[in-house]
Amino acid sequence: MIRRLGLVKTSLIDYPGKVAAVLFTPGCNFRCPYCHNPELVQGPVPEDFIAFDEILRFLEKRRPVLGGVVITGGEPLLHRNIGNLLTAIRELGLPVKIDTNGSFPEVLENLRPDFVAMDIKTSFSNYPRVLSPGAKAEELVEQIRRSLKILIQSGIPHQLRTTMVPGIVDEKDFDDIIPEVQGADSYLLSGYRNQRTLDSAWSDVDPYNPEVLEAVAQKLRSAGIPTKLRNN
Ligand code: SF4
């Protein structure tokens, strides 16, 4: 159950085309070694997190200047009461974008957020690189495939996204990724920032040169997938 959430009051980059507030949920079922939110993944819940009711009061007050709300994490969809939060925000008249790692397809299908950003961490055969030790990679990959299918077939506006982390994903992985993501609305490729990583060894990993990201973007575009680049 989520009782308290992190809050960024205003963001211009997290909900495409909208001024948004961003809410952070604690906890994640993945262990990406390069994760930039280690405190959310490992716990405890940060002290500056704010109670659910107080967040709703804030959103109500800010409603006139907000175009939407982003719920990110951690992994928002692992919380049983995430639907209550989404409903309460929609009752304020604000659309909701969810950021997800894609491993909870049933929750995604039931919630039908107004926009979804879903991570494609690497080619599916390499997913064990981002999972907790002992996680059942095959089952999780199957869940992610189901989430992809739901997004592509349901009409829910969405963006797939990959952070280009050396050692996790490379240009060649996209030979396997592209057939899986055919029909996606859009794709965002982000450069890697080697700061504040879950595994401190990943702070020593240098990002790819911009040419590598451009080559991957071209590969996606040539396959008919609208692709944007964000170099951090
Ligand atoms: S990067 Fe996202 S999916 Fe990976 S551990 Fe961090 S919060 Fe979880």
Side-chain angles (χ1 to χ4, degrees):
M1 295 280 276
I2 323 170
R3 292 199 170 81
R4 294 189 298 134
L5 302 110
L7 170 66
V8 168
K9 292 180 177 175
T10 310
S11 165
L12 301 178
I13 60 167
D14 287 283
Y15 197 144
K18 295 188 192 298
V19 176
V22 184
L23 309 182
F24 292 82
T25 62
C28 188
N29 56 331
F30 282 23
R31 286 294 179 276
C32 310
Y34 57 86
C35 177
H36 296 311
N37 290 319
E39 69 285 357
L40 295 186
V41 173
Q42 293 173 315
V45 176
E47 281 185 8
D48 60 352
F49 271 33
I50 299 167
F52 198 96
D53 292 350
E54 205 178 317
I55 295 268
L56 290 178
R57 280 198 294 276
F58 165 79
L59 293 176
E60 189 165 15
K61 217 164 51 186
R62 292 276 287 190
R63 192 171 41 171
V65 295
L66 289 175
V69 176
V70 177
I71 307 178
T72 189
E75 172 50 48
L77 300 187
L78 64 76
H79 296 280
R80 272 185 296 157
N81 62 342
I82 191 72
N84 299 349
L85 179 60
L86 189 128
T87 303
I89 297 169
R90 278 178 162 165
E91 281 172 358
L92 296 173
L94 291 166
V96 179
K97 169 182 177 258
I98 297 265
D99 293 346
T100 179
N101 61 30
S103 58
F104 296 93
E106 290 85 5
V107 185
L108 186 64
E109 193 163 34
N110 287 336
L111 286 183
R112 294 188 66 87
D114 301 283
F115 194 99
V116 174
M118 184 179 133
D119 296 337
I120 303 293
K121 305 285 187 188
T122 182
S123 55
F124 288 153
S125 59
N126 283 332
Y127 255 74
R129 295 176 183 178
V130 295
L131 302 178
S132 333
K136 294 181 178 160
E138 275 179 30
E139 276 177 28
L140 280 167
V141 163
E142 211 35 55
Q143 302 286 70
I144 293 163
R145 277 204 170 97
R146 285 175 56 200
S147 292
L148 260 178
K149 202 168 164 194
I150 290 164
L151 287 183
I152 291 170
Q153 294 182 351
S154 66
I156 300 171
H158 60 274
Q159 182 176 61
L160 306 179
R161 53 188 200 176
T162 298
T163 302
M164 290 298 296
V165 187
I168 300 290
V169 59
D170 61 20
E171 188 183 342
K172 208 169 169 318
D173 284 303
F174 281 81
D175 294 339
D176 296 330
I177 292 171
I178 285 171
E180 303 274 359
V181 302
Q182 281 297 335
D185 281 357
S186 66
Y187 211 107
L188 177 68
L189 287 176
S190 297
Y192 174 54
R193 284 179 293 126
N194 53 6
Q195 292 155 7
R196 264 182 94 242
T197 51
L198 179 62
D199 178 339
S200 58
W202 247 253
S203 297
D204 296 329
V205 171
D206 289 327
Y208 285 120
N209 293 328
E211 294 76 32
V212 174
L213 270 71
E214 190 53 56
V216 175
Q218 280 308 336
K219 224 171 185 172
L220 284 156
R221 288 176 191 136
S222 301
I225 300 160
T227 302
K228 286 189 178 163
L229 268 181
R230 185 157 76 191
N231 264 310
N232 294 313

